Amino acid sequence: MRPERLNPLFADVASLAGVGPAAARALERLEIRRVRDLLFHFPIGWRHTSRVEGLGNAREGERVSLSVDILSHEPSRGRGPFRITADDGYGIGLILAFFGPKGSGLANRFPVGSAVTVAGRLELWNGRFQMIHPELVRAADSEGGADWAEPVYPLTEGFTSRRLATLTQAALEKLPELPEWIEPSLLGARGWPGFGPALHSVHGEPESASARDRLAYDELLAAQLAWALVRARRRRKRGTPLQGDGRLSRPLLAALPFRLTGAQTQAISEIAGDLAAPHAMLRLLQGDVGAGKTLVALMALLLAVEAGAQGAFLAPTDLLARQHMATLQKLIGDLPVRLGFLSGREKGKAREALLADLAEGRIDILIGTHALFSADVNYRNLGLAVVDEQHRFGVAQRMMLAEKADRPPHLLVMTATPIPRTLALANYGEMDISKLGERPPGRQPVDTRVVALGRIEEVLDGLGRHLAAGRQAYWVCPLLEPSEEEVEGAPTPAVTRAEMLRKRFGNSVALVHGKLPGPERDREMARFQSGEAKLLVATTVIEVGVDVPNASLMLIESAERFGLAQLHQLRGRVGRGSDKSVCLLLRGETLSETARERLKMMRATDDGFAIAEADLKLRGAGELLGTRQSGDEGFRLATPEQVQRFIETARDDARLLVERGGGNSLSGPRGEAARLLLYLFEKDAAIATLRGG
Ligand code: ADP
Ligand code: MG
């Protein structure tokens, strides 16, 4: 239950004076539903108004306030404005112009012969000073007599910034006195204000960098506390220590045609250490495309099997799961390891038999899709779950996996997308991280070029030569089918492109996309993997994981439509064999500035981590991870730059606070305060992990 003192903050915005149903709906569009949301809706800038004494002291373009004498009214003619002429008291004229509907209202507000104070942006019109729609500054307004600044809020239709400012001031009045949750020494070292004063400062005065930092830190600390609690909860449960004896992993390594990279060896030893520990592993394996994550996963699975446990290997799509199955089968060869496969497509008798084998321990490693963790799938002895291409396996699923067993299995999560360390901390804060920064030796960088779509004939000729030489290629399109209406400049869909390519290259063209029925997609994929098909036309279903070393040409049509991370993933499909590989980015006629930047970045580097950092800058953190869909962490207050600066401190601080509470409570005055912080940022699931919470 939320502590009562926070109730005023969680009251509906409609409880504030002046917020009716229409206003509430407008606020809803800004995701402002409660008083708290209003307080967390920060200004994006400040509007300054300088008080001037006469226009002689003002410049064109400035926002000023001054007192003027009203001389005359000129009602509008045609589409022109209603004009009021005024004098600044020093003989310089000023026109106050009002467009749109007008009536007696103006005459009443600005009576001829009166002296009023107006505020607005000063413009020059026909050589005379003018203000369009100036504000009438009431004599009672204290700010009428001095310079002032007011916040500018991100807006929605139906709301002025000033109205939001007024509402926010009302919301600030509701702010209760709260205890401090930030470590006093940190607060002192950074010179940060308390939570309440920080909110007042952000909404009340310009130049409050330290207030913004503090509030960003609060948000990060809340998120990291939540992670720390999830982590502590998993650690409270005993895991099953798994100590492999090497009888499977050692012969496998000996049979490999290559040696492990240093990074692979390091990651495997970190994993082996975790597996042998008495609580369940929670480890994230980050590696760029082609870094060799699959082999690391297999080694981990073999260690678990050696120790007498079962392993599960989860891939995000049926296609990838099948490919992992094939890869593992090949690598395992004659070793006594029994593999099973389960996706949504296994049905009826075959599925029942498989489930029985699993429950009775006749399967050592089960490979498949999310079906691996359906309610009716029972393992005899699940010791390790490996989740590939983490992107689509969100926080909720991770927690569910822990809940399923009283002894949670060890968990190894692998990201296909290299993400900057700060984002890894933000999204996998409960985990330890291993990184494969180094790729297997002997890989040649992929030669990346940007080609205008107008030169497609040349490209097709080149493709023809490539295929004739016995090599394979991918052709990726952003869309699958033509849209209903013809849109000018729309990209060519995969289906249309495949048809066209078949006319030229015949039956050696395969087509896969998300809407193709499973068996058909497998058949097409198999044709390509076996080399029977030379050219694979696809939508982004091949984005992650597909591995065909003989494919050394990647064509991405309308490349400007893809995100950086996506382009990098796609390019990662080539450059896997010994041949020099090429990636052609076919671009449309018109490019936005960021699209141009993206393509430039792709040409400049193939370092996935560098690309991820650039992507973060171009797009912001939420988008990079597809915030909304996957349940990944997006921050409302903290900017990517603040995340960068503060997240490590927040992580350490949070883990310390939870450890102090013995891992299952938040104790002491700071612990109590931290509990409020969790509520404030709606980390309800994390609070539920607290004893008695
Ligand atoms: P990813 O990290 O993208 O999942 P994969 O595991 O698919 O990468 O590995 C890419 C390719 O590199 C595979 O063909 C794999 O067999 C090969 N590979 C993995 N480790 C090494 C190594 N140490 N030396 C050479 N090739 C390797
Ligand atoms: Mg992979």
Side-chain angles (χ1 to χ4, degrees):
M1 272 273 285
R2 186 165 54 225
E4 248 166 57
R5 64 212 295 192
L6 293 179
N7 285 351
L9 292 176
F10 284 85
D12 223 83
V13 270
S15 69
L16 295 173
V19 182
R25 270 196 305 280
L27 288 170
E28 170 85 36
R29 285 197 287 276
L30 292 168
E31 294 184 38
I32 296 175
R33 289 173 207 99
R34 295 147 314 174
V35 169
R36 159 200 180 278
D37 306 333
L38 201 52
L39 294 177
F40 287 165
H41 190 68
F42 288 178
I44 44 177
W46 287 82
R47 192 169 70 150
H48 296 268
T49 305
S50 322
R51 170 81 196 189
V52 293
E53 191 54 44
L55 289 165
N57 296 312
R59 244 166 301 148
E60 183 196 356
E62 252 181 330
R63 222 188 104 82
V64 297
S65 77
L66 75 164
S67 62
V68 293
D69 303 318
I70 303 299
L71 303 179
S72 67
H73 290 173
E74 290 173 28
S76 64
R77 263 163 278 141
R79 295 161 137 244
F82 188 109
R83 289 205 178 87
I84 297 174
T85 55
D87 181 285
D88 72 346
Y90 297 88
I92 305 180
L94 174 67
I95 295 172
L96 311 177
F98 297 85
F99 290 85
K102 49 233 136 194
S104 61
L106 286 173
N108 287 338
R109 282 165 63 213
F110 299 92
V112 172
S114 68
V116 298
T117 299
V118 292
R121 220 175 83 90
L122 211 52
E123 296 173 3
L124 273 179
W125 183 77
N126 274 355
R128 297 165 73 188
F129 280 120
Q130 163 175 287
M131 278 183 189
I132 295 176
H133 295 188
E135 292 161 39
L136 180 59
V137 180
R138 305 268 156 216
D141 283 359
S142 57
E143 55 198 20
D147 295 349
W148 80 88
E150 54 194 330
V152 178
Y153 289 97
L155 283 186
T156 181
E157 211 170 306
F159 254 90
T160 61
S161 194
R162 186 162 291 175
R163 179 133 182 247
L164 266 176
T166 310
L167 277 182
T168 306
Q169 290 306 318
L172 280 169
E173 309 253 307
K174 309 258 176 189
L175 195 62
E177 190 75 38
L178 297 174
E180 185 54 74
W181 42 76
I182 296 182
E183 186 83 61
S185 61
L186 178 65
L187 211 59
R190 308 254 184 191
W192 285 342
F195 177 72
L199 276 174
H200 276 279
S201 164
V202 160
H203 293 289
E205 295 162 25
E207 316 304 340
S208 46
S210 76
R212 278 188 188 243
D213 281 354
R214 190 241 140 90
L215 295 167
Y217 187 81
D218 286 339
E219 185 177 38
L220 296 174
L221 181 62
Q224 291 300 315
L225 259 177
W227 285 129
L229 287 169
V230 167
R231 179 183 167 87
R233 179 187 175 82
R234 280 208 70 172
R235 291 188 163 232
R236 277 209 299 287
K237 290 189 175 186
R238 285 187 60 77
T240 310
L242 299 174
Q243 191 115 45
D245 60 9
R247 71 175 193 281
L248 301 168
S249 50
R250 218 172 287 130
L252 182 112
L253 281 186
L256 285 178
F258 49 73
R259 295 176 51 171
L260 292 179
T261 64
Q264 282 172 320
T265 306
Q266 166 82 18
I268 292 167
S269 93
E270 283 164 355
I271 291 166
D274 286 358
L275 290 176
H279 42 239
M281 166 169 76
L282 277 171
R283 187 168 285 279
L284 176 72
L285 177 62
Q286 271 203 286
D288 204 349
V289 271
K293 293 185 288 293
T294 317
L295 188 58
V296 174
L298 177 58
M299 290 297 290
L301 288 163
L302 290 182
L303 289 174
V305 174
E306 286 169 8
Q310 290 173 307
F313 192 177
L314 181 147
T317 65
D318 198 87
L319 191 79
L320 285 172
R322 279 168 206 281
Q323 185 182 283
H324 277 326
M325 179 73 184
T327 307
L328 262 51
Q329 258 164 344
K330 209 160 79 199
L331 283 167
I332 282 173
D334 299 334
L335 289 172
V337 179
R338 295 157 301 180
L339 301 181
F341 185 85
L342 181 66
S343 77
R345 286 202 231 138
E346 277 62 40
K347 300 239 160 69
K349 284 255 155 53
R351 185 169 195 274
E352 274 167 39
L354 182 90
L355 292 187
D357 282 348
L358 189 69
E360 283 154 35
R362 286 188 296 273
I363 288 175
D364 297 313
I365 300 175
L366 185 64
I367 299 157
T369 59
H370 281 92
L372 291 188
F373 299 114
S374 315
D376 63 334
V377 176
N378 294 306
Y379 296 78
R380 194 177 84 91
N381 180 15
L382 179 61
L384 168 65
V386 178
V387 177
D388 193 10
E389 321 299 9
Q390 149 69 27
H391 225 107
R392 300 167 214 201
F393 191 75
V395 181
Q397 283 112 320
R398 257 145 56 199
M399 286 181 71
M400 187 200 72
L401 194 60
E403 296 309 307
K404 226 178 126 101
D406 13 299
R407 292 202 167 203
H410 296 279
L411 178 62
L412 177 66
V413 167
M414 309 198 288
T415 48
T417 321
I419 51 179
R421 179 170 169 75
T422 51
L423 277 190
L425 284 181
N427 289 281
Y428 313 101
E430 90 276 34
M431 304 203 166
D432 299 308
I433 300 178
S434 296
K435 183 170 154 180
L436 297 183
E438 161 196 6
R439 282 193 231 175
R443 298 274 173 81
Q444 303 184 38
V446 178
D447 179 9
T448 303
R449 296 175 218 159
V450 179
V451 181
L453 206 48
R455 289 170 53 195
I456 194 161
E457 273 308 316
E458 288 168 56
V459 170
L460 287 170
D461 289 343
L463 175 62
R465 287 192 297 275
H466 179 86
L467 299 180
R471 288 190 293 262
Q472 291 169 282
Y474 298 96
W475 189 302
V476 179
C477 300
L479 301 179
L480 172 58
E481 288 158 334
S483 62
E484 302 274 300
E485 348 79 270
E486 289 274 313
V487 183
E488 195 163 346
T492 309
V495 171
T496 316
R497 184 57 78 198
E499 231 168 78
M500 189 227 107
L501 289 166
R502 275 195 180 119
K503 285 206 185 96
R504 191 157 173 152
F505 301 113
N507 195 33
S508 69
V509 178
L511 171 67
V512 296
H513 55 77
K515 280 199 190 163
L516 212 57
E520 209 171 314
R521 197 173 350 145
D522 294 346
R523 215 167 43 238
E524 287 294 275
M525 231 17 246
R527 280 202 326 123
F528 187 65
Q529 249 149 359
S530 72
E532 181 201 326
K534 297 275 179 265
L535 179 60
L536 183 70
V537 180
T539 52
T540 53
V541 292
I542 62 152
E543 186 182 329
V544 282
V546 171
D547 188 16
V548 179
N550 187 45
S552 52
L553 174 61
M554 166 66 66
L555 290 125
I556 305 175
E557 184 162 352
S558 302
E560 72 276 10
R561 301 212 162 213
F562 294 87
L564 252 186
Q566 224 174 2
L567 289 172
H568 179 67
Q569 287 293 320
L570 286 168
R571 180 171 60 184
R573 301 304 110 218
V574 297
R576 302 185 152 230
S578 45
D579 276 352
K580 177 93 195 146
S581 290
V582 175
C583 174
L584 288 186
L585 303 172
L586 301 182
R587 68 168 189 80
E589 292 300 314
T590 47
L591 290 190
S592 71
E593 195 52 43
T594 47
R596 199 179 297 277
E597 280 299 313
R598 288 202 296 270
L599 298 185
K600 204 166 115 194
M601 186 74 198
M602 285 296 292
R603 255 192 343 230
T605 180
D606 74 338
D607 177 339
F609 287 94
I611 285 177
E613 293 281 358
D615 208 13
L616 184 62
K617 292 216 175 71
L618 284 176
R619 296 204 292 167
E623 268 180 278
L624 181 59
L625 289 158
T627 308
R628 292 278 135 67
Q629 306 91 322
S630 58
D632 283 309
E633 196 72 50
F635 295 110
R636 181 168 187 157
L637 308 187
T639 63
E641 182 274 328
Q642 284 168 325
V643 175
Q644 183 101 27
R645 262 192 297 149
F646 300 136
I647 200 159
E648 305 235 14
T649 314
R651 199 264 318 258
D652 296 345
D653 201 16
R655 285 196 178 174
L656 210 67
L657 204 58
V658 170
E659 274 163 29
R660 246 184 247 159
N664 56 3
S665 69
L666 289 167
S667 60
R670 250 194 90 213
E672 274 310 305
R675 187 190 280 263
L676 293 174
L677 175 70
L678 285 169
Y679 277 107
L680 206 48
F681 284 93
E682 307 192 285
K683 301 295 176 188
D684 297 30
I687 292 165
T689 70
L690 289 169
R691 188 172 40 197

